[in-house]
Amino acid sequence: MKKILFLLILGLAGIGVLAWLFNYLSTGTIILTTNESGSTITLQRTSQGKPFVKIGLGSLNVTATHGQYLATVKNGSQVSEQVINFNSGHKTLRYSIALSRLLQVEPVAYQNASNIAASNTELVYLDSGNENIYKIDGQNNLAAINSSQQFRSVKWANASFGVGQDNNGQLYTIDDGAISPLRVPFSYGATAVSFDVSENKQIYVSYGADVYAGGPAGNFKKIYTAAYSNLLLAAGVNKVVVADEVVGQSVNTPSPVLAVVDTSGSVIKKNEAGEIVKLALSPSGQYLVSVNKSYVSVYDSSLNQIAIVPNSSSVGYITWLDNNKFLYTSGNELWSYDLNNQSAELQANMPFFASSITGLSLSGDRSYVYLTANGPSFDNKYALLRVGLNEQQFPDYINKLQGILPMTLNDCSLSLVNFTQPPTILVTSFPNSNLSAQAYLQEAQNELNQDGFDLSKLQFKLVPGS
């Protein structure tokens, strides 16, 4: 009996040691600090397991089990998020999560703009209202490019070259303001046509399930045939990403296929869960961001998932800043994501009137990001905005103008073009008003003078009402 009792105690002790060792090896310490004292730090488990949320002020030191966590640091309007993967061993993980000052948002024009491209000397966009392409030059002149040609969407290689699609699905090149039909390798019909263009002017077009690669002069060749006929394309240099858009798919419908296809026809495929709504390829073509209705994934060039972007609300638009960092919108906020650190940071909040961001585009030299935004449906206000990514400054009176424009007076309305300095106040006369040109300008100048603006810092331009 003594021997049996001894063996039983020994067995229980062994089980206890193993349980302790397992618990020891599957737990660790996560220590979080930040550069802003008084910041709230929240650590939340995002992988499966027991719900886990811990909150600290200025720093946080917790014992945690293996899993994936999201650390969020907040101080006023500043927000940073850090993904933490604690997958093996007993260890102490230390993260210093910095908060940066939010970047300023500058008004460029109050236009119903979409599909933007900008360089240092010009900006082009598609007007979502009348479906014409407009150009703003280095003197803040705003004019339509070929007002007889309408488009429903435009993709730009740069501010001088793009490809547009009209309401019949037909494609055109836009080259320094000259618009010409694109020579495609098929006859247009009822079949869906998708397209995209890379920074080096390679054009990719799909007609139904068939995908073609070509250039401004045409010369297309077929490089891929998809499983479905309604496709989403993302152009890169010598490669294109193709996603099957399976809209309203049933439970029994196969998952959409994500494919990377180079111009020689080499293909890498992956089944993707859920309907894909956005794609963005990094400048080097090494990484891909895919947005579906549930989450945002980052893949490498072999379509291995390497990150999931943390986001508390849906991601709207994405553009790569460089090969390791991209910008994205969520609601009326601009965020950045660093792939090396797997961290996200709030960069800017849109002005009070902008309830949603409707477009995102990086300038040619990557010093500005341009955004389009809409106000609430009842105020019918549109804005073309920009954020200086190198903390570029602009005069305080520009911010003050942003707070009051557009403005309606007795005989005219006031708007703004602020692509270059000094800004231009657009004075649009009302159709039923018969004042002289000088009278309209005087009315505008009197109003802004009464509001405390230095008129010597502004230029005024009369625009006839329609």
Side-chain angles (χ1 to χ4, degrees):
M1 289 296 295
K2 288 181 179 180
K3 184 175 182 180
I4 292 172
L5 184 60
F6 173 77
L7 291 174
L8 181 61
I9 293 172
L10 186 63
L12 291 173
I15 292 171
V17 169
L18 289 174
W20 176 87
L21 184 61
F22 175 80
N23 182 67
Y24 177 82
L25 292 176
S26 62
T27 61
T29 303
I30 299 176
I31 300 175
L32 304 173
T33 57
T34 183
N35 61 329
E36 294 277 358
S37 61
S39 299
T40 300
I41 302 177
T42 304
L43 182 67
Q44 181 175 8
R45 186 183 181 101
T46 56
S47 59
Q48 291 182 346
K50 285 185 178 181
F52 179 97
V53 179
K54 298 291 182 180
I55 300 175
L57 189 64
S59 64
L60 187 62
N61 186 325
V62 300
T63 299
T65 58
H66 289 171
Q68 186 178 78
Y69 297 83
L70 178 64
T72 303
V73 179
K74 290 187 178 182
N75 192 328
S77 58
Q78 298 168 285
V79 186
S80 284
E81 296 180 330
Q82 174 72 56
V83 175
I84 298 174
N85 291 299
F86 178 27
N87 297 323
S88 62
H90 179 85
K91 62 183 71 173
T92 296
L93 302 177
R94 300 176 186 271
Y95 290 87
S96 178
I97 304 173
L99 288 172
S100 301
R101 184 176 60 182
L102 295 187
L103 301 174
Q104 290 185 296
V105 181
E106 182 181 10
V108 177
Y110 294 106
Q111 303 292 327
N112 189 5
S114 62
N115 302 166
I116 314 161
S119 67
N120 290 331
T121 59
E122 64 180 348
L123 180 149
V124 288
Y125 67 88
L126 177 65
D127 189 297
S128 297
N130 62 26
E131 299 183 329
N132 290 148
I133 297 174
Y134 284 81
K135 174 183 173 181
I136 301 176
D137 65 17
Q139 288 74 48
N140 283 337
N141 295 311
L142 191 158
I145 296 175
N146 191 345
S147 59
S148 64
Q149 180 62 59
Q150 295 178 311
F151 294 101
R152 69 185 182 198
S153 66
V154 180
K155 307 286 182 68
W156 300 98
N158 52 53
S160 298
F161 182 84
V163 177
Q165 186 174 43
D166 68 14
N167 288 310
N168 295 317
Q170 298 190 21
L171 301 176
Y172 299 79
T173 58
I174 305 149
D175 193 352
D176 280 329
I179 298 176
S180 305
L182 179 65
R183 297 178 181 177
V184 294
F186 49 79
S187 298
Y188 291 105
T191 304
V193 176
S194 298
F195 70 104
D196 201 8
V197 58
S198 67
E199 289 186 2
N200 66 336
K201 301 183 182 180
Q202 287 179 317
I203 302 171
Y204 300 91
V205 178
S206 68
Y207 184 72
D210 294 328
V211 180
Y212 301 85
N219 302 319
F220 285 94
K221 65 175 182 179
K222 186 163 72 172
I223 58 173
Y224 179 65
T225 299
Y228 297 92
S229 60
N230 192 28
L231 306 180
L232 181 65
L233 307 182
V237 177
N238 297 324
K239 67 172 63 175
V240 62
V241 182
V242 183
D244 298 327
E245 289 188 285
V246 187
V247 180
Q249 61 179 330
S250 66
V251 176
N252 296 323
T253 303
S255 298
V257 173
L258 190 61
V260 178
V261 186
D262 68 27
T263 51
S264 68
S266 175
V267 180
I268 299 172
K269 291 183 179 182
K270 177 184 180 66
N271 286 334
E272 176 78 336
E275 179 189 340
I276 299 170
V277 294
K278 291 282 190 310
L279 293 171
L281 199 58
S282 67
S284 66
Q286 185 177 0
Y287 301 114
L288 168 71
V289 181
S290 172
V291 182
N292 68 23
K293 292 186 176 181
S294 301
Y295 55 88
V296 181
S297 298
V298 184
Y299 298 101
D300 64 16
S301 57
S302 298
L303 292 182
N304 299 308
Q305 188 182 71
I306 57 174
I308 294 179
V309 179
N311 59 293
S312 56
S313 59
S314 61
V315 170
Y317 300 88
I318 296 174
T319 186
W320 284 85
L321 182 58
D322 54 39
N323 288 316
N324 291 299
K325 180 181 283 189
F326 58 85
L327 301 169
Y328 65 95
T329 65
S330 182
N332 65 347
E333 299 172 338
L334 176 68
W335 287 75
S336 66
Y337 183 81
D338 189 311
L339 193 55
N340 288 336
N341 300 326
Q342 291 200 28
S343 61
E345 185 173 12
L346 179 63
Q347 296 293 322
N349 284 309
M350 296 304 103
F352 66 94
F353 63 82
S355 60
S356 63
I357 296 172
T358 58
L360 181 69
S361 176
L362 203 60
S363 65
D365 63 0
R366 287 175 157 73
S367 63
Y368 282 98
V369 59
Y370 285 83
L371 307 102
T372 54
N374 290 352
S377 57
F378 60 81
D379 74 354
N380 199 33
K381 186 171 183 177
Y382 306 96
L384 200 168
L385 309 164
R386 68 183 170 196
V387 174
L389 299 174
N390 300 320
E391 298 191 10
Q392 298 95 318
Q393 300 297 307
F394 54 89
D396 289 340
Y397 66 84
I398 299 294
N399 256 334
K400 190 176 178 181
L401 284 171
Q402 183 167 235
I404 65 171
L405 295 179
M407 176 188 294
T408 300
L409 304 180
N410 291 331
D411 303 289
C412 57
S413 63
L414 307 186
S415 188
L416 175 73
V417 177
N418 178 46
F419 182 58
T420 57
Q421 293 291 319
T424 298
I425 304 298
L426 297 182
V427 182
T428 304
S429 60
F430 294 154
N432 59 351
S433 181
N434 296 311
L435 301 182
S436 66
Q438 185 56 40
Y440 290 118
L441 295 175
Q442 192 64 54
E443 184 176 354
Q445 291 168 355
N446 289 343
E447 176 63 34
L448 293 182
N449 185 52
Q450 291 172 11
D451 291 335
F453 290 96
D454 183 350
L455 300 184
S456 66
K457 295 180 179 179
L458 305 172
Q459 54 186 354
F460 292 79
K461 182 177 181 179
L462 181 64
V463 180
S466 56

